[in-house]
Amino acid sequence: MDIKKLTGKIYYLPHNPEFDRPLLGYIKGSKYNMMIDAGTSDKHVEEFNNGLLKNNLKNPDFVAITHWHWDHTFGMHAVNGVTIAHEKTNEKLHELKNQEWSEQAIKARVEQGKEIEFKNEEFRNEYKDLNEIKIVTADIIVDKKLVFNLGDVTAHIFHVEAPHSDDSMLIYVPEEKILFIGDSTSEDFYNNHYLDKDKLNSLIITLESIDFTHCLLGHTDPLKKSDILGYLNTLL
Ligand SMILES: [Zn+2]
């Protein structure tokens, strides 16, 4: 898969459902570059970096994480650049890092209802050898909001209330009218796929208030503002 150009300063590697690999974003500043999400593994990061090279794009200086789920964070050990995550994301990564990742330990946690995703097909496609799992915490911890001036373009990273996870962060690039929203609009897979309509409504109000033309989600192609809001309103 090749890196695609969405606007003058926004690029992305499309999502790949076979390995549950989410879309990885890239903001090209005149001084610094930022990657959005760290992907599933070192292999996923390598695919991204090869795509950058092919398109004459520099390695990222910063990597912003949208939420803690494995497919967005287990590549963090392999990325170039300083990693940035919400404080709750980091707490969760710390917890995952200290867990045992053997076949037996995963099975026990699934049986106790503590884990849901680590037995699924896509995870197994990505991690045939569990010893390859490496989990690290982030370098910069965000509480509410952090703005990066990348040079002629800015990245506004901020925490939102969202139904998918309580550590959801959005990354807004006002100069390009682009918004990265990760999986924030989806239901909570760790709570029996429960869709909290109050949280969804709060997220819809946030999205409505932001001036963007396209948003980039974790597991689909980029969507227009009217399309994502039209869809989300049908869920209320
Ligand atoms: Zn997720």
Side-chain angles (χ1 to χ4, degrees):
M1 219 173 303
D2 199 8
I3 288 208
K4 293 188 175 178
K5 186 173 185 174
L6 185 62
T7 71
K9 291 170 181 145
I10 304 289
Y11 298 76
Y12 66 98
L13 179 69
H15 72 113
N16 179 349
E18 188 187 347
F19 304 99
D20 215 10
R21 290 180 177 175
L23 175 150
L24 300 179
Y26 183 85
I27 310 167
K28 184 179 184 292
S30 60
K31 199 168 178 190
Y32 302 111
N33 306 300
M34 183 179 281
M35 178 180 183
I36 311 297
D37 275 331
T40 52
S41 65
D42 51 359
K43 286 168 276 187
H44 192 193
V45 172
E46 194 183 333
E47 188 189 3
F48 181 78
N49 287 342
N50 287 340
L52 294 182
L53 203 64
K54 210 171 138 187
N55 288 278
N56 291 317
L57 297 165
K58 289 182 189 154
N59 277 332
D61 301 287
F62 303 103
V63 185
I65 304 296
T66 59
H67 64 299
W68 67 272
H69 292 165
W70 78 274
D71 47 325
H72 300 256
T73 56
F74 280 19
M76 278 169 74
H77 68 93
V79 295
N80 292 296
V82 173
T83 52
I84 305 146
H86 188 257
E87 57 186 11
K88 284 183 185 163
T89 309
N90 222 44
E91 278 167 23
K92 195 66 195 180
L93 288 173
H94 198 261
E95 188 189 311
L96 294 176
K97 189 183 161 184
N98 290 319
Q99 283 176 348
E100 202 190 317
W101 290 91
S102 66
E103 209 60 75
Q104 256 184 335
I106 291 176
K107 191 167 171 253
R109 290 201 294 272
V110 170
E111 279 169 6
Q112 289 161 11
K114 287 181 184 165
E115 228 154 65
I116 50 144
E117 288 192 302
F118 301 110
K119 285 189 83 74
N120 71 19
E121 199 186 323
E122 296 82 8
F123 178 75
R124 293 298 167 160
N125 285 343
E126 190 68 298
Y127 286 103
K128 294 201 169 64
D129 178 0
L130 294 172
N131 292 314
E132 288 177 7
I133 295 174
K134 287 193 195 90
I135 301 165
V136 297
T137 48
D139 303 314
I140 296 178
I141 313 303
V142 184
D143 169 9
K144 291 189 180 77
K145 184 176 178 174
L146 207 52
V147 181
F148 284 76
N149 181 359
L150 303 173
D152 302 316
V153 68
T154 55
H156 299 237
I157 303 173
F158 57 99
H159 179 244
V160 288
E161 188 177 36
H164 188 62
S165 63
D166 63 4
D167 63 337
S168 293
M169 294 237 279
L170 307 189
I171 298 95
Y172 177 46
V173 186
E175 295 83 358
E176 304 292 290
K177 291 190 193 293
I178 293 296
L179 184 65
F180 292 90
I181 61 176
D183 300 348
S184 61
T185 55
S186 298
E187 67 271 32
D188 186 355
F189 299 152
Y190 283 81
N191 185 13
N192 294 317
H193 290 249
Y194 174 65
L195 181 67
D196 186 316
K197 291 191 178 174
D198 290 335
K199 287 181 183 173
L200 179 62
N201 196 40
S202 161
L203 182 61
I204 288 173
I205 292 166
T206 303
L207 295 183
E208 279 171 345
S209 73
I210 300 171
D211 181 20
F212 66 97
T213 58
H214 288 84
C215 61
L216 289 93
L217 292 83
H219 301 276
T220 185
D221 294 329
L223 289 174
K224 282 185 191 160
K225 184 176 184 179
S226 54
D227 290 342
I228 185 77
L229 285 171
Y231 168 69
L232 294 176
N233 275 304
T234 65
L235 304 176
L236 285 180

